[in-house]
Amino acid sequence: MKQSPFAPHLTRRQVMRTMGACGIGIGFSSLLQNAASLPASEAKAASSVVKDRQPLLSSAFFPLPLGSIHPRGWLLEQLRIQANGLSGHLGEIWPDVGSNSGWLGGTGESWERGPYYLDGLLPLAYLLDDQRLKALAQKFMDWTIEHSWPNGMIGPAKNDDWWPRIVMLKALTQYQELTGDPRVIPLMDKYFRYQLAELPKRPLRDWGKFRWQDEVLSVVWLYNRTGSSYLLDLARMLHKQGYDWIGEFADFQYRQKITAEYIKLEEGQGLADLALATHGVNNGQAIKTGPVWSQISAAAPDRNAVFQMIEQLNRYHGLPNGMFSCDEHLAGRDPSQGSELCTVVEYMFSLERSVAITGSVALADRLEMLAYNALPGTLSDDMWAHQYNQEPTQVECSLHHKPWVTDGPESNLFGLAPNFGCCTANYHQGWPKFTNSLWMYCGAQDHDREDGLAAVAYGPSEVRTQIRGVPVRVIEETDYPFRGKVRLTVTPDSPFAFPLQLRIPEWAKGAKVQVNDENPTNPDHGTFARIDRTWRSGDRVEIDFPMQLRTSRWFNDSISIERGPLVFSYPIGEDWVKLRDNGLGSADWQIFPTTQWNYALKVNTSAPEEGIVVTETEVGHAPFSRADAPVRLQVKGRQIPSWRAEDGAANPLPQSPVSSQEREDTLTLIPYAAAKLRVTAFAQLKSE
Ligand SMILES: [Zn+2]
């Protein structure tokens, strides 16, 4: 077993005291600023990377131990907004994760909601070094650890479903990395031994059967720490009993909008294989299946299955915000269809794990697209309200009937638990896990000569880790994704040679990288640019991503406009009407349009910068809010009178190109996330 940062035989009380002494009590950020004065043993323990153990097929990148990455700038503000919003207060107004939760020993909700909440609350609390939230999370972890069943099972006695345990295992692995609590690894070991013996008698079913790959992540996590070979047997059994996602996508059949009749919902078949295979959240979680399973199978085709999955989902159900439609089953390409918030955060998590295993730039590009568009686009600016379903073209959020495949009428309201409470419990993982994935560790499985750091996604942050035993700190200053400039300041404890890998997104043609005052280089887009050198304290790397405008093609040959990782939308005038109060800062809201929205755009798709004016303003504390949108595009358009809404949803877009005799207007587009009512896919005007 890897040595934990804390002595292995301490009681819980001693552990908590030790955590305070190690800096968690005094503020981890202040610890970092004073890291040079830390005892070497503590600095090392806080940043020991765990690589993949043989015979696992090695990942391209290894996750940095949690606690290594710290948000700065607007990203830190975003996490603070989240903590001050629903994430920091949910249990006070929503009993399902309140003091009567089954995961606290109460008689309340005892299934997935407690674990879902912990999966996001834990990393959020530690990224912010928020004592109150850490203490809150600790209660759930303590109950879970101290109340395992005599046979090794964990969780409330009300049910023995494998699925909610799969989620709690994700929380437990994070908790162990964050605290070094010595109770976690024995607990997981006992649980997995029990499960291996039990699964032949009581196999995976419904949700667990379709989400088995998420448990394999935790099994691999423990194998890398203990080396117990039975864990590989368990991974193989989960694969054998789990749904064959790789096989499904090798010959993808679900190419149409899935109807309730097709999946026989009325006949009570909602948990049958057909319904679960076409279920949005299941597909979002499934995206990691190929890379995760490839570590066990050691088969390259398994690893590459992720690209086929995304390609098929994009082709038949793709939307311009980077998502696929799922409201809540796969719903085709019309941008008036919705995507569930659980799917957004699960797709992000799948991409984070898949980027680590594959080292793919394309997967990281998509991760940023979701993080910087679909995630904030479905949360209110103060993060006290969220939607169940968001639509790229969302002209009204109301109780009117919507074109959802299977979801109810409240699905696109902003509120506490619109339609169903899964997203209410689950969305907290989005921003924190993204933050913890900005940087990864690179190197070979069996030696440390190639060890270095990789900038996987960009955002204002600081990473502090150890490379071959040498403490290294990198500060990333940037207003990305709103600007294209990124400045890294690299500070090893002493001059030290290691590779720094920088992701150059596929869209970043003509990117420039400059170290100190040396000649700049122009790395290829769609690759990781590798800088091998002896780094000295204060070395600077300036990255300049050209933020050219781009267009993409969607439903009925409509167009969307992108710049860097951001998608742009026409912001419809919004009238927020309160439907009900839920206590504290929480309310449920309908939003009604106050302006016209049925515009077609005049855009030259081969040179979109001709005729579009870009205006940049300061990046403030809430850059995804409408009032503070730091980038705006002015573009010409005309209304299409025949394109209307019905029951609160825009009718299908007219086939592009289109003609219009209406007056030419100048429209201002803002980032997708800033416009809660919006048009994102536009009909294209015929060139004159
Ligand atoms: Zn959900």
Side-chain angles (χ1 to χ4, degrees):
M1 183 171 102
K2 188 176 76 71
Q3 188 74 15
S4 85
F6 311 108
H9 304 300
L10 299 181
T11 64
R12 188 194 149 235
R13 191 179 300 271
Q14 287 169 318
V15 168
M16 296 310 292
R17 220 170 25 233
T18 313
M19 284 157 63
C22 284
I24 292 168
I26 60 170
F28 202 60
S29 54
S30 58
L31 167 74
L32 290 174
Q33 280 147 20
N34 299 313
S37 61
L38 273 180
S41 59
E42 288 180 16
K44 186 174 170 58
S47 53
S48 299
V49 167
V50 178
K51 293 184 176 180
D52 290 320
R53 191 187 279 262
Q54 294 283 9
L56 295 178
L57 189 61
S58 182
S59 302
F61 301 139
F62 307 103
L64 285 163
L66 294 185
S68 306
I69 300 172
H70 300 266
R72 295 166 61 99
W74 72 257
L75 182 56
L76 176 60
E77 292 299 326
Q78 192 66 30
L79 291 168
R80 284 182 178 151
I81 291 170
Q82 177 172 352
N84 291 331
L86 214 45
S87 291
H89 299 281
L90 187 56
E92 297 164 43
I93 55 171
W94 201 57
D96 284 3
V97 299
S99 55
N100 195 37
S101 162
W103 291 89
L104 290 172
T107 56
E109 207 274 346
S110 298
W111 195 51
E112 67 181 9
R113 293 185 181 177
Y116 265 159
Y117 185 44
L118 266 291
D119 195 29
L121 178 67
L122 264 169
L124 178 68
Y126 280 83
L127 282 166
L128 291 174
D129 188 28
D130 185 313
Q131 301 305 322
R132 185 180 71 83
L133 296 188
K134 283 183 189 174
L136 176 60
Q138 188 70 43
K139 283 187 199 166
F140 285 88
M141 302 321 295
D142 281 341
W143 186 88
T144 302
I145 294 169
E146 290 165 5
H147 293 83
S148 70
W149 306 9
N151 59 11
M153 185 68 161
I154 58 171
K158 264 190 183 176
N159 69 73
D160 61 0
D161 188 357
W162 301 117
W163 158 240
R165 277 94 189 165
I166 292 176
V167 185
M168 188 47 94
L169 288 164
K170 289 195 295 173
L172 281 164
T173 57
Q174 294 183 82
Y175 170 72
Q176 196 280 338
E177 288 187 33
L178 289 164
T179 67
D181 189 326
R183 301 172 298 171
V184 175
I185 286 177
L187 179 91
M188 288 176 64
D189 183 64
K190 192 173 174 195
Y191 174 73
F192 284 145
R193 288 179 192 275
Y194 163 72
Q195 193 184 26
L196 181 62
E198 191 72 4
L199 274 175
K201 295 173 270 177
R202 195 161 64 77
L204 295 175
R205 62 176 169 83
D206 49 66
W207 303 109
K209 174 179 169 184
F210 282 77
R211 298 172 175 180
W212 61 274
Q213 63 283 339
D214 282 76
E215 180 168 342
V216 174
L217 278 178
S218 297
V219 172
V220 166
W221 182 94
L222 188 64
Y223 175 73
N224 282 333
R225 283 156 178 81
T226 67
S228 299
S229 60
Y230 83 89
L231 291 165
L232 303 183
D233 296 334
L234 176 59
R236 290 186 197 100
M237 189 173 293
L238 292 166
H239 171 257
K240 189 171 154 215
Q241 293 191 0
Y243 183 69
D244 181 11
W245 286 110
I246 296 173
E248 175 187 316
F249 277 90
D251 182 23
F252 187 62
Q253 295 299 314
Y254 307 121
R255 303 177 180 185
Q256 307 291 330
K257 182 172 175 174
I258 301 299
T259 62
E261 297 74 38
Y262 180 73
I263 56 175
K264 299 186 169 64
L265 212 56
E266 300 301 320
E267 299 167 35
Q269 297 296 306
L271 291 179
D273 279 5
L274 184 59
L276 293 175
T278 55
H279 185 273
V281 187
N282 287 351
N283 277 267
Q285 293 190 230
I287 282 163
K288 68 176 80 63
T289 306
V292 169
W293 176 242
S294 76
Q295 292 214 266
I296 312 289
S297 72
D302 287 340
R303 187 157 288 193
N304 292 331
V306 63
F307 303 106
Q308 166 82 353
M309 281 191 186
I310 292 175
E311 196 276 329
Q312 296 287 300
L313 285 169
N314 208 38
R315 175 179 304 207
Y316 298 109
H317 306 283
L319 297 173
N321 55 7
M323 286 297 300
F324 55 89
S325 63
C326 50
D327 53 23
E328 70 185 39
H329 296 82
L330 300 175
R333 298 181 74 227
D334 188 325
S336 289
Q337 297 296 148
S339 300
E340 185 185 332
L341 175 49
C342 279
T343 312
V344 176
V345 294
E346 294 294 352
Y347 194 172
M348 286 176 62
F349 180 60
S350 286
L351 289 166
E352 288 155 9
R353 304 317 314 136
S354 299
V355 170
I357 295 171
T358 63
S360 160
V361 169
L363 298 181
D365 287 355
R366 187 167 290 271
L367 170 62
E368 280 188 354
M369 198 171 183
L370 300 186
Y372 291 146
N373 298 282
L375 177 64
T378 198
L379 305 169
S380 65
D381 295 347
D382 62 6
M383 292 188 76
W384 271 97
H386 69 272
Q387 295 174 292
Y388 191 87
N389 285 338
Q390 66 179 302
E391 303 154 270
T393 290
Q394 181 165 276
V395 303
E396 186 175 303
C397 297
S398 77
L399 291 167
H400 286 159
H401 173 74
K402 288 292 190 306
W404 318 131
V405 170
T406 47
D407 285 331
E410 292 204 2
S411 293
N412 76 350
L413 268 54
F414 279 80
L416 172 62
N419 191 54
F420 192 66
C422 52
C423 306
T424 309
N426 190 15
Y427 81 83
H428 314 276
Q429 64 170 308
W431 279 117
K433 288 190 186 173
F434 176 70
T435 304
N436 281 327
S437 304
L438 293 174
W439 291 87
M440 294 186 188
Y441 197 87
C442 52
Q445 187 174 21
D446 293 329
H447 62 78
D448 63 7
R449 296 187 297 280
E450 297 288 308
D451 284 11
L453 278 178
V456 165
Y458 293 97
S461 59
E462 174 178 337
V463 58
R464 177 172 288 274
T465 188
Q466 298 224 354
I467 302 172
R468 302 206 304 272
V470 177
V472 174
R473 176 185 187 182
V474 181
I475 293 176
E476 176 176 352
E477 295 168 285
T478 184
D479 283 331
Y480 192 93
F482 309 100
R483 304 284 191 278
K485 290 193 187 306
V486 178
R487 169 186 279 197
L488 308 178
T489 305
V490 183
T491 305
D493 247 20
S494 53
F496 178 58
F498 68 89
L500 183 65
Q501 297 199 41
L502 308 174
R503 170 178 143 262
I504 311 298
E506 184 60 43
W507 49 261
K509 297 185 180 80
K512 203 170 73 177
V513 174
Q514 183 174 21
V515 181
N516 298 331
D517 296 322
E518 298 165 16
N519 287 336
T521 58
N522 293 101
D524 289 341
H525 61 100
T527 64
F528 275 90
R530 178 174 163 138
I531 307 175
D532 277 293
R533 64 183 286 135
T534 298
W535 298 97
R536 296 171 197 284
S537 180
D539 275 349
R540 279 188 340 272
V541 182
E542 309 271 356
I543 313 168
D544 194 351
F545 294 124
M547 301 298 251
Q548 293 118 337
L549 296 170
R550 311 183 309 280
T551 57
S552 51
R553 284 272 173 209
W554 300 98
F555 183 67
N556 281 351
D557 287 324
S558 57
I559 53 171
S560 288
I561 301 178
E562 301 173 16
R563 180 180 187 259
L566 293 178
V567 182
F568 283 78
S569 302
Y570 175 69
I572 303 168
E574 297 172 5
D575 181 20
W576 289 61
V577 178
K578 193 182 281 188
L579 182 67
R580 61 177 83 89
D581 270 312
N582 303 309
L584 294 181
S586 170
D588 294 343
W589 300 89
Q590 301 186 81
I591 316 176
F592 296 95
T594 62
T595 57
Q596 298 295 334
W597 50 264
N598 51 350
Y599 288 100
L601 297 189
K602 184 170 129 184
V603 174
N604 177 357
T605 50
S606 44
E609 64 279 5
E610 290 174 10
I612 299 182
V613 179
V614 180
T615 308
E616 294 182 339
T617 50
E618 193 183 344
V619 177
H621 289 320
F624 294 104
S625 70
R626 186 169 181 142
D628 292 336
V631 191
R632 290 164 194 265
L633 311 180
Q634 285 187 311
V635 57
K636 304 286 187 196
R638 295 175 193 268
Q639 283 186 263
I640 305 294
S642 61
W643 185 33
R644 296 174 174 278
E646 200 171 315
D647 293 335
N651 283 334
L653 284 149
Q655 176 73 38
S656 288
V658 294
S659 299
S660 171
Q661 303 307 312
E662 301 298 304
R663 183 187 70 229
E664 184 175 275
D665 291 323
T666 300
L667 311 175
T668 300
L669 310 189
I670 62 176
Y672 174 92
K676 302 312 181 202
L677 293 188
R678 63 193 162 229
V679 178
T680 306
F682 298 91
Q684 184 181 12
L685 286 169
K686 272 184 187 148
S687 51
E688 290 158 1

